[in-house]
Structure formats: structure tokens, C-alpha cells
Amino acid sequence: MRKTIVKQNRYFDSVFLMLVARRIAAQPGIRDASAVLGTAANRKVLAAMGYGAGDEAFAGAGPNDLVLALEGEPAAVDAVAAEADSWLARGSGAPEGAGSALPEPRTVAEAVARRPDASVAIISVPGQHAAREARAALRAGLHVFLFSSNVSAEDELALKTEAAGRGLIVMGPDCGTAFLGGAGLGFANAVRRGPIGIVGPTGTGMQEFASLVHQAGSGLSSGIGTGSRDLSDAIGGLSTLAGIEALEADPATQVLTVLAKPPGAGAEARLRKRLDRCAKPVVLCLLGTEDRAVGGRVRLASTIDEAARLALEAAGQGWPRSLACDPGELRAAAVAEVGRMRPEQRHIRGLFSGGTLCYQAQAIFRRAGLAVRSNAPLPGMAELPDPHRSLGSTFVDLGAEIFVDGRPHPMIDATLRRKRLDQEGEDPEVAVVLLDFILGAIASPDPVGDLLGAARGAQRAARRRGGHLCLAASVCGTDQDTQGLQTQVRALAEAGVLVFPTAAQAAAFCQEAMLLLAERKEADR
Amino acid sequence: MTMLLGELLQGRPVFVNIGVRAFGDSLRAAGYDVIQVDWSPPAGGDVQLAALLDDLL
């Protein structure tokens, strides 16, 4: 039995709803449960699962309405439906100021009136409301970490200009990660403090950088996120430049790193000019751009792990052997894997939860003259016609807007990535699946465990066809993350997954495998 | 009271969280002070009406 319940004008955040759905799904007699906002994308997914046929309330639900979808034994479904409100009663962790009897403030201004020493607003409301809340935060004297996406460039420019006038910074919109005063904001790993500062728009890029710096024995002074569009010419790098200014003046920062995707031409010129006159050593990594000469104390990196290595060197620290890459070993591993595959296995499928890691993998492939399709293509790579279906060799960013509209990011909720992995496992032409696993605060308590069943299923399906599916992965995280880096790596290795110490190395391995597959195809002709 | 970015990097931030509660929960678990705002879409989710009300107030 399937049933949908619509609660009009009930707002809950998507992470809270996912936890509610998980608790309901664990009830005896319930086989499937979803609790989502009634966005068009969510209704489409539910309809494809067989929910809501002929249900007018479901068809008319909107992004401000809650949809609860249940499948299971009729008695169990009816029991949950009858108690829907109590399932949705608040209860995600301790309320603000545990021990205080005060109700939570309803506005930013009320919150600041209660705590005049508040300094940073973290805003993750739906995009259409985000600029309003960010403006209120700036006017209350707060720096803004703006996780929400779907904020217009016009609003972004206005917010950042207002922030600059007030001596504040807006990190975002679409800012995934920051490290401020020892605190990790958004998706952030547990890293020790140290001499290396980083600024830039890349959420998972910053996580990978911070984790590698930690694994190498050093630490971060601060990490200033800027939002994915900051270095476009429309915004002109306002937050990036403010971040550079602050890190240059910060006594705890010895080395400054800028990690970004390719900026607009004007913004890049301003950025390089500013870095040229930086008083501290700088590492600049613009993923997917060809290296161009930079003056002063700027060193160039083409991958995130190279940026971390150069930053450590500039701070007078070495790069451990455990993180180093031996191209000969990558090639040998690829030869061993490809040798076990059937002739029709020729495609690589990268299923990324980290957008920057998807971008970096494409940059690595492009440098080797290899093409992939992607829903977030680098210049020169083809756009994937249907993001939900791979075609040829494909790198898909599952954190892209189309996959997260009204539902949690794949780092939190693995459902869509698991289904996509099932799909790839059924395709006899798939040779290699590349996966990233991101640990840290907010992320799933067991990112590897979420996908292991699907990974084993895909491997079995390939074996039944007489072939061998190669699974390659990297894990972004530290020993201090609650998921435990070593625990996650071990679980992958035990399942026969090849685990590489950095995302760039995992992509470089796939590059070697793809070159071998291409050579094999050529030899067969 | 506004804290400049340089001071923020050296100090210990106090957070106001608006939206996904898990962001505040994780900071609180790490020992930081967080004030959670009990947010719901303004003007029943009507963005234009909310902007109009903002202008009036």
C-alpha cells in the first residue's frame, strides 16, 4: 500500500525531514518512507516511485508544503499517517540554549538582541528567502555564511557591496565550507589548527585541502569560503579579495592558499595583481586553467593535493610518503584491473558527491587529452544530455542543483547515488566506477556503508557477465572526523575497492585505465 | 556590535543559525555557542509580499 499525506504551509529543513523519514522507515511494516518539500522535482521523483496517482492534494503541493510518502503494510501505513504530526514534531537535537526556558528567537535581529556578542550568521533557508535573511544579518552586524544557493547575482553583488561597507564579509551564496576561529562551518572536517590559510569558492575543494593538510601533520589557520560565483566578473571577487586581505594580516597565517575554478578574465586579473603584492607566500590553484606566470611569491598548483603539498613546503613542512603519488604504481594498478575486463567494458563513470572533485577529475582527464561527458562540464567537455543517465564515459556531480532541489545533499543522503550506482552496475559497458566519499560534520554517519551494498551488487553483476568491474575511490576526511578516516578506508579496501589517498590520484588512476581501454580498443580494430 | 573579519579569524565566533538545524547542532557539539532562529517562510512563502512588508516596516 502506498499513501501520500500533504501538510500545507509546513516548513522543515531537508536534513530534519530525512531523519524523520529514516525513523519512519525503521517502523515494522513500513518498506519505504519519504518526507520532502513538495517541489516539482521531489513530486516527480515520488511519482516515478508510484506515489500520488490521482491524489489532488499531492498534485497541487508546492515548495512550501510538506509531502509524506509511505509504502508498506496497510495497518502500518495507516498508523503512521494517523500520527503524522507527532512524527513531525520537532526533535532534531538539543534546542537552543538547553537549560533556558526561552523560546527560540523568530528573527536574526531578535537573536542578536539576545546575544550581542554574536558574530556570524549561518543561513541555509531556501534560496528565494536567503537574500532577505542575509541582509537582515548584515544589518545586525553579523558576517554571513550563506549556504543557500539559487540567489541571484544581482542580490549577491548588493549583499557583498553592503558587507564591504560595514567591514563584514558574505561567504556565499552556495558556500559549502568555512573554517573560522577553529570552528568548521557547513560541511567541514575536523582538522587541527596550524599555519595555513585558504580562501576560495570551492566547498569540497576546501575540505579536501584541509583534510590533506591535517593528514600531513599540519593544520589550518582559517578557511574563508566565498561562494561559487564570487570570482565571476559579475561579482569581481569581492569576498575572495576581502579574505586575502584578512589572511595576509592574520598573525596565525604563514602561508595563503587560493583554490578556485577558473575565474572571469577581469576577476582573475584583479586576483593575480593582488596576490603579486601579497606579503606572505601564496599558493594559487585555479583548477582547469593552464598555468600562466605569476610574480612575487606565488606558486602554482594544478590539483588540490599539489596545492596542499606546496602550502606545506612554504610553511617549512614536508609531504608524507603516505600521500605521495607514484605514476608507475598507478599505471601498474590500471594494467592489472583492465586485464580482467571483457572487451565491451570501455566506459568510466564518476559518481561524485563533491562538485569540485568532479571538476578536478575532468581537468585531469582533459590534460591527458581524454573526453568525458558531465552535467557540470569543464570548457571543452560535452554536456550530459540527461543528468539522470550516463552516456559513454561520464562524470556526474550529484550535488548539482537538479539533484538537491528540496532534498539533502548526497554527502548526507546517499539514496540517489546508491540508485545511480545500481544503474551503472547493470550497464555491461562500464569498466570503472569512480567514487568520492566525504566525511565530516553534517555528512552521513557512514558514507562508505551507505554505498557498500550497491558496490558489491555492481561487482557481482559484472562477474555474472564474465567481466570485472573496477571500483576506485578516495576518502576526504581525517582521523578526528566522527566517521573515522581509517575505518572508512578499511571498509572500502575489504570490499575490493581501490582506495587512493587523494581525489586527484584516484582520477589519475582512472585516466591511466581509460588510456589502456582506448589502447585496447585500438588494438582490437 | 560588529566584529571585523580580522578579529573574527583570531577570536571565538558566536553563531546565529537560520535554516538547517544540523549546522547549529554540529557547532554546538563542538563546543561553540549557537543561537537557533525558529525560521519559517515569511508571508506564507510569498517572496514579493514579504519584500513589500519589509518596505512598509
Side-chain angles (χ1 to χ4, degrees), chain A residues 348-363:
Chain A
I348 298 199
R349 302 282 161 79
L351 308 183
F352 293 90
S353 53
T356 313
L357 304 186
C358 180
Y359 202 86
Q360 174 177 257
Q362 290 182 64

Side-chain angles (χ1 to χ4, degrees), chain A residues 191-233:
Chain A
V191 299
R192 75 177 72 77
R193 300 194 79 175
I196 295 169
I198 177 168
V199 58
T202 67
T204 39
M206 190 178 286
Q207 284 192 271
E208 171 90 347
F209 178 88
S211 296
L212 292 174
V213 163
H214 176 97
Q215 287 178 44
S218 187
L220 278 198
S221 54
S222 295
I224 300 174
T226 61
S228 56
R229 208 168 31 200
D230 188 66
L231 281 167
S232 67
D233 284 335

Side-chain angles (χ1 to χ4, degrees), chain A residues 2 128 167 329:
Chain A
R2 287 194 178 85
Q128 67 268 34
E329 278 180 23

